Amino acid sequence: KLKDASLGKNMKIRAVIDVNVFISSIIGPLGSSRKILLAWDKGQFDVISSPGIIGELEEKLKLPRITKHFKLSAALDVYWIKELLKTQSEIISVPADEIEPITGDSEDDYVLATAHLGKVDYLITGDKRLQDLKNYKGAKILSPKEFIKKLK
């Protein structure tokens, strides 16, 4: 939780989780990405997402180059993530005219637009190009490991 000095009360962290973090949490169930999803499941922060992020996640989860890394429990993990997104996230729409060509990758630009329109505190990503931006319109861009440190 963040302290809002102007109101004198705690405000919950708002964050966008990039698709690569969801995928990493399935492939590497002991890493920082998994810890982020567990913290979200416990209500430690709020997740803001969008139809494009959810659609991209569903597409990536079908790719053989990704599914070949799945363990037997992956089907349960995929179900858990989809349920979290359905029941414990705020889904916002991202109009095409709000997506600015910042990174040269339309998927990354969409994620940035989601973070901006969702008025989030953090964008959590494993994407080095996005991490190199450090900040985008008020959202700090952190790796999963950096975000876990912020939660503690």
Side-chain angles (χ1 to χ4, degrees):
K1 295 188 179 202
L2 296 176
K3 183 87 169 160
D4 183 337
S6 64
L7 299 175
K9 60 183 174 182
N10 288 329
M11 297 193 49
K12 213 177 225 188
I13 294 171
R14 293 171 59 86
V16 166
I17 300 176
D18 199 354
V19 169
N20 55 61
V21 176
F22 289 115
I23 301 293
S24 294
S25 76
I26 296 169
I27 294 172
L30 301 176
S32 296
S33 294
R34 180 56 155 237
K35 289 176 186 168
I36 287 170
L37 297 192
L38 291 169
W40 171 30
D41 196 12
K42 290 179 188 167
Q44 288 183 263
F45 66 97
D46 291 333
V47 170
I48 313 306
S49 198
S50 56
I53 290 176
I54 294 168
E56 183 188 346
L57 175 62
E58 289 180 349
E59 279 179 39
K60 296 263 178 10
L61 289 173
K62 294 175 188 164
L63 295 176
R65 67 184 167 85
I66 291 174
T67 58
K68 74 179 181 183
H69 297 288
F70 286 178
K71 312 267 184 287
L72 287 175
S73 62
L76 286 174
D77 290 342
V78 169
Y79 176 79
W80 174 56
I81 289 169
K82 287 181 178 179
E83 283 302 302
L84 279 174
L85 281 165
K86 276 192 239 171
T87 63
Q88 293 187 45
S89 69
E90 179 184 332
I91 307 296
I92 63 163
S93 63
V94 179
D97 63 345
E98 292 283 350
I99 303 167
E100 296 179 37
I102 305 291
T103 66
D105 179 324
S106 61
E107 289 176 355
D108 288 348
D109 293 339
Y110 184 93
V111 170
L112 288 172
T114 302
H116 169 62
L117 294 171
K119 297 176 177 56
V120 301
D121 305 297
Y122 298 99
L123 165 55
I124 311 160
T125 183
D127 185 316
K128 190 75 178 106
R129 279 187 310 184
L130 285 176
Q131 289 172 11
D132 287 345
L133 291 174
K134 304 251 188 278
N135 219 299
Y136 181 73
K137 296 189 177 185
K140 291 178 188 72
I141 302 171
L142 300 179
S143 71
K145 191 177 275 190
E146 292 168 326
F147 185 72
I148 286 296
K149 287 179 188 169
K150 290 272 183 206
L151 283 180
K152 291 183 177 179

